[in-house]
Amino acid sequence: MPRIGESAQRRGAFITVEGGEGAGKSTQIARLAATLRARSGRGVCVTREPGGSPRAEEIRTALLGGLAKPYGPFAEALLFSAARIDHLDRLIRPALRRGETVLCDRFIDSTRAYQGAAGGLDPGVLDALERVVVGPTRPDLTLILDLAPEAGLARAAARAGGQGADRFEAETLDFHIRLRGAFLAIARAEPARCAVIDAGRDPDSVEAAIRATVAARLPELLPGEGTRGDAA
Ligand code: Z5A
């Protein structure tokens, strides 16, 4: 469980990266991590959800294998939450307390978008889960990589090279269109935390937009670059 007074102990920065399938999250997190390691003078912890700790990775295998699908979006949200509790306790909060920058591939907004907006789970249930599971450990910045679902699914399929789609990739195009709308709605609702990045461009252009956004929103991480503003 989150601890009282956590915010006072927390010294690092927490950045999450969100978006639909094949939006380029892993590609861009690797690039941003390299930039921050070279420029920020702080440790950088790269992680992902579901997963990120040994126990949470076991839950990931079950979730992406479709084990919880027959039980519906509430049961799936509970399993994602179980993985998140372990991930926060074992990896994210200790790294933040050490003053590191945590870069996390998916976090609470994926639960909101996949199990909530696209899966039909009541937003009140999701809010309650976030309060007890995440508490005060909220991202300082969330980069939402926005891409047409057709393009993202094509990228993911090309990368898979004939291997089958996982539990979520196998959803209908309509599901993925609802997902995109959900991520954009989250960004509109929380503009101070979220920045939308056009992920339909080449990887170098997407990287430049992310770097400018990080420099503008969290200038202490990229000293000397903070005056150019968001370039999403
Ligand atoms: N999920 C959920 O339902 N609820 C939750 O609470 C959480 C998650 C936390 C995790 O899957 C699944 O769990 C996810 C949501 C659900 N759904 N699915 N599937 P995952 O981690 O296995 O998959 P993912 O998060 O969707 O990531 P991904 O498919 O690996 O995509 P990505 O990381 O965004 O993209 P990438 O690997 O960087 O790039 C994909 C390919 O495109 C690759 O070949 C790249 O070389 C290429 N690429 C990357 N950028 C570009 C550009 N700019 N142009 C052209 N090609 C590019």
Side-chain angles (χ1 to χ4, degrees), residues 38-112:
R39 296 284 321 279
S40 73
R42 303 174 180 214
V44 177
C45 169
V46 172
T47 188
R48 68 174 180 181
E49 289 213 345
S53 63
R55 288 181 190 140
E57 288 290 330
E58 286 176 14
I59 298 175
R60 174 188 176 92
T61 303
L63 278 165
L64 297 194
L67 189 78
K69 185 179 179 186
Y71 302 92
F74 182 43
E76 285 194 317
L78 290 177
L79 268 185
F80 279 110
S81 297
R84 185 163 297 145
I85 287 168
D86 196 65
H87 187 205
L88 280 162
D89 276 348
R90 309 243 161 207
L91 192 86
I92 294 176
R93 291 190 183 115
L96 291 173
R97 281 197 293 272
R98 289 194 299 271
E100 295 178 12
T101 301
V102 175
L103 300 182
C104 189
D105 189 337
R106 297 193 181 281
F107 194 58
I108 49 173
D109 300 305
S110 284
T111 318
R112 293 184 193 178

